[in-house]
Amino acid sequence: MCGIVAYVGPKDAAPILLEGLQRLEYRGYDSAGVVVSNRGLKLRKVKGRVADLAKVVPVRFKGNLGIGHTRWATHGVPSDENAHPHLSADQRIAVVHNGIIENAGELRAKLVADGVAFASETDTEVLAHLIARAADENDTLEEAVRKTLKLVVGTYGIAVIDAERPGEVVVARNGSPIVLGIGEKEMFAASDVAALVRYTRQVVHLEDGELAVLKADGFHTFASDARETAKEPLTVDWDAGHYDTGGYEHYLLKEISEQPETITRTMSGRLDERFHVAHLGGLNMDARETRSFRRVKIIGCGSAYYSGQIGAQLIEELARIPADAEPASEFRYRNPVVDPNTLYVAISQSGETYDTLAAVQELKRKGGRVIGIVNAVGSAIAREVDGGIYLHAGPEVSVASTKAFTSTSLAFALLALHLGRVRDLSPADGRRVVDGLRRLPGQIEEILAQGDKIAELAQKYAKHPGMMFVGRVRGYPVAREGAQKLKEISYVHAEAYPASELKHGPLALIGPDMPTVAIVPDDELLDKNLTTLGEIRARGGQVLMVGHREPAAKLADDVIVIPKNEIELDPILLTIPLQLLAYHAAVALGRDVDKPRNLAKSVTVE
């Protein structure tokens, strides 16, 4: 992985490919490259950023067809040689690839035994050599690609061009997204609509096991057995302006600042003031079916998993249905018992997270009822599930999730309200929750207004080699997400624990060089949380408290006070100052905030 762009049409391909790759930089990568076809293949690729690639692409790098790629290393270290595209030995075939070829070692060994010399350490180069061999035996590039993919075990999103067929691009998908863009007498393909929206908003999503041939005047899609498939274009709601920084220094700060608007969009049209309920027609479930579920199981990865923990708490409190969250990568491998009375909820901002998608497919195979909470319309998980909730948060460009996390947590509040009002949540409690949801955007604005104060605190605490995050019950998933944000963009080591667990081991780490961020809402556990702060202070630990009021005693070195909402909804607000803390800590330490090292935005490999 990480980013693919392809073009065929009347225009010069190279500027389109480079611009598309720039749009995909947010996904995380270590090298980049492009190849165009014009009386042979012309290739440029480098270790480094797309800007570095642009410097080595000559002015006369002409061709009306080409493919480009940004790579996130899986096989071989980041280097010029391991960067994509990869060419066959005869320079006829060029391939870009997202995913992992699991039997690449076996295939490579056979090719080496046949005398093929490899130029890289990648699994992708195997595809280039195999397709070139098949192309010598077949009349069409699509047949050569289809024949080669039958030999492959693993995941892939690929784009292939043939120097001897300069008018077409072949793309294929299995577990890694490929989106076609339909232009005016030109065609595009990419791994993400971000690379397409400047040129077209008419897109087609390939399904797993599907291939497509792109020519300037159109496209056709087909399955791995050559059977033609029918595809209907979708219109993308986002445009190129959604991918600009909008005057902010970083995408991450822009996306944190957008949250009053994004959660308003998530709620829009979904709150019923008359019956104090959430309307979620996309679930595709009537009241009788909704009442039949006896448990809710939530699956996701990373921040999506932590928002699932917040969601499980909301569902248990408001709907009184047992609920829990689990990492999708663990769930899919432990041979889970799939219960017909359990509602399964899959979370993914991109809708393409491979572990979550694979878990959904396993659940569907076993007859489970699965709904999705996703941001990207038309994504793989959105197409796979039985129903769900779109976040409508707009594209999230920075690798670290902020507005999508908040909108996901809000979507769980809507789901919990919906489930609760179908069951035993009273109209009065329904009204209380609806009123609380209405207050959230304004309260987030109040927290954002404290940005300068939080920036000063971030500079103070970022100098430490590590930090502890603690919270109880509703505060624990907030602490986990806060630690995740800090470690992924500032590279400061951070751990999160239930506050009550500190004395069962982690308290040994507490001291002057290990400050603690404590999540202390004004709820029924306030006194117990304050006792924990006393334990930390007694051992010389610094405390940064995030809560609803200053503690009566001197139990914290610093306090971030936020507005109070309903107890069940407070975790949504408590996450906002932790996002700002992580952002400003990363800036203070000079980190590449939007593109943290070793990470990718959409994880489409295991």
Side-chain angles (χ1 to χ4, degrees), residues 58-94:
V59 174
R60 299 194 59 79
F61 194 73
K62 303 297 183 182
N64 301 124
L65 174 149
I67 55 178
H69 192 264
T70 52
R71 175 179 185 258
W72 184 80
T74 58
H75 289 71
V77 299
S79 68
D80 291 355
E81 293 78 14
N82 289 331
H84 295 213
H86 289 286
L87 303 185
S88 58
D90 59 5
Q91 308 287 293
R92 174 181 172 181
I93 299 295

Side-chain angles (χ1 to χ4, degrees), residues 424-471:
D424 300 320
L425 189 70
S426 70
D429 274 331
R431 174 182 292 185
R432 177 178 62 82
V433 173
V434 168
D435 290 345
L437 289 168
R438 295 289 192 198
R439 295 197 301 272
L440 285 173
Q443 291 178 316
I444 292 176
E445 288 179 351
E446 291 181 45
I447 298 170
L448 295 175
Q450 299 186 58
D452 290 343
K453 173 187 176 180
I454 295 173
E456 292 179 8
L457 292 172
Q459 288 193 343
K460 172 182 176 180
Y461 286 97
K463 65 184 179 181
H464 295 282
M467 295 181 71
M468 191 76 74
F469 286 71
V470 298

Side-chain angles (χ1 to χ4, degrees), residues 216-552:
D217 59 357
F219 71 98
H220 74 272
T221 58
F222 52 98
S224 57
D225 60 2
R227 175 177 42 85
E228 295 282 333
T229 57
K231 310 295 290 187
E232 287 294 328
L234 299 174
T235 300
V236 177
D237 290 335
W238 306 338
D239 58 34
H242 283 96
Y243 295 91
D244 295 331
T245 57
Y248 289 91
E249 185 176 356
H250 298 98
Y251 283 108
L252 185 61
L253 183 58
K254 176 192 177 191
E255 288 158 10
I256 291 171
S257 302
E258 287 176 340
Q259 289 176 114
E261 294 80 29
T262 56
I263 68 164
T264 298
R265 286 204 300 271
T266 303
M267 286 189 288
S268 180
R270 288 170 166 165
L271 292 178
D272 184 324
E273 304 288 353
R274 180 183 178 188
F275 294 106
H276 318 301
V277 69
H279 283 308
L280 301 173
L283 298 182
N284 299 325
M285 295 187 299
D286 61 22
R288 185 182 298 274
E289 185 177 9
T290 301
R291 285 186 61 87
S292 70
F293 294 113
R294 294 291 175 263
R295 181 174 293 275
V296 177
K297 167 67 86 171
I298 302 165
I299 55 174
C301 297
S303 289
Y305 163 49
Y306 301 142
S307 69
Q309 289 189 305
I310 291 176
Q313 182 76 28
L314 280 161
I315 290 167
E316 289 204 340
E317 288 192 305
L318 294 178
R320 303 307 297 156
I321 305 173
D324 68 302
E326 182 176 352
S329 53
E330 294 294 306
F331 178 83
R332 61 179 289 226
Y333 280 120
R334 63 173 182 80
N335 193 24
V337 175
V338 177
D339 178 10
N341 296 317
T342 295
L343 176 65
Y344 296 90
V345 186
I347 324 162
S348 171
Q349 187 279 138
S350 68
E352 301 286 353
T353 308
Y354 185 75
D355 282 319
T356 307
L357 176 60
V360 169
Q361 291 169 337
E362 178 69 4
L363 282 166
K364 295 283 288 181
R365 187 183 69 80
K366 293 181 175 180
R369 181 62 184 262
V370 191
I371 62 172
I373 296 179
V374 300
N375 195 32
V377 175
S379 56
I381 292 173
R383 299 195 307 274
E384 191 80 37
V385 295
D386 298 301
I389 304 170
Y390 279 124
L391 300 180
H392 302 302
E396 191 175 63
V397 176
S398 189
V399 167
S401 180
T402 50
K403 66 179 183 178
F405 177 88
T406 307
S407 285
T408 301
S409 301
L410 179 70
F412 273 116
L414 295 173
L415 178 61
L417 176 62
H418 176 78
L419 294 173
R421 288 292 287 122
V422 170
R423 298 167 70 88
D424 300 320
L425 189 70
S426 70
D429 274 331
R431 174 182 292 185
R432 177 178 62 82
V433 173
V434 168
D435 290 345
L437 289 168
R438 295 289 192 198
R439 295 197 301 272
L440 285 173
Q443 291 178 316
I444 292 176
E445 288 179 351
E446 291 181 45
I447 298 170
L448 295 175
Q450 299 186 58
D452 290 343
K453 173 187 176 180
I454 295 173
E456 292 179 8
L457 292 172
Q459 288 193 343
K460 172 182 176 180
Y461 286 97
K463 65 184 179 181
H464 295 282
M467 295 181 71
M468 191 76 74
F469 286 71
V470 298
R472 286 177 186 261
V473 188
R474 304 176 194 92
Y476 176 49
V478 174
R480 298 192 76 180
E481 172 62 10
Q484 170 99 340
K485 282 291 153 288
L486 186 68
K487 71 181 77 169
E488 69 182 331
I489 62 172
S490 75
Y491 316 148
V492 172
H493 178 73
E495 293 192 58
Y497 279 91
S500 58
E501 286 294 303
L502 272 186
K503 54 186 172 292
H504 296 292
L507 202 57
L509 296 173
I510 296 299
D513 291 329
M514 178 65 79
T516 298
V517 177
I519 313 304
V520 186
D522 193 357
D523 60 13
E524 73 278 10
L525 297 172
L526 176 63
D527 289 340
K528 292 186 180 299
N529 277 318
L530 294 178
T531 298
T532 299
L533 302 193
E535 294 171 352
I536 296 168
R537 296 275 289 169
R539 288 155 178 84
Q542 297 182 69
V543 174
L544 169 57
M545 174 181 148
V546 180
H548 296 120
R549 53 174 160 161
E550 296 268 356

Side-chain angles (χ1 to χ4, degrees), residues 199-218:
Y199 304 101
T200 180
R201 294 173 65 187
Q202 293 295 301
V203 303
V204 168
H205 294 266
L206 291 190
E207 304 286 349
D208 282 349
E210 253 185 331
L211 300 87
V213 177
L214 313 183
K215 298 182 180 180
D217 59 357

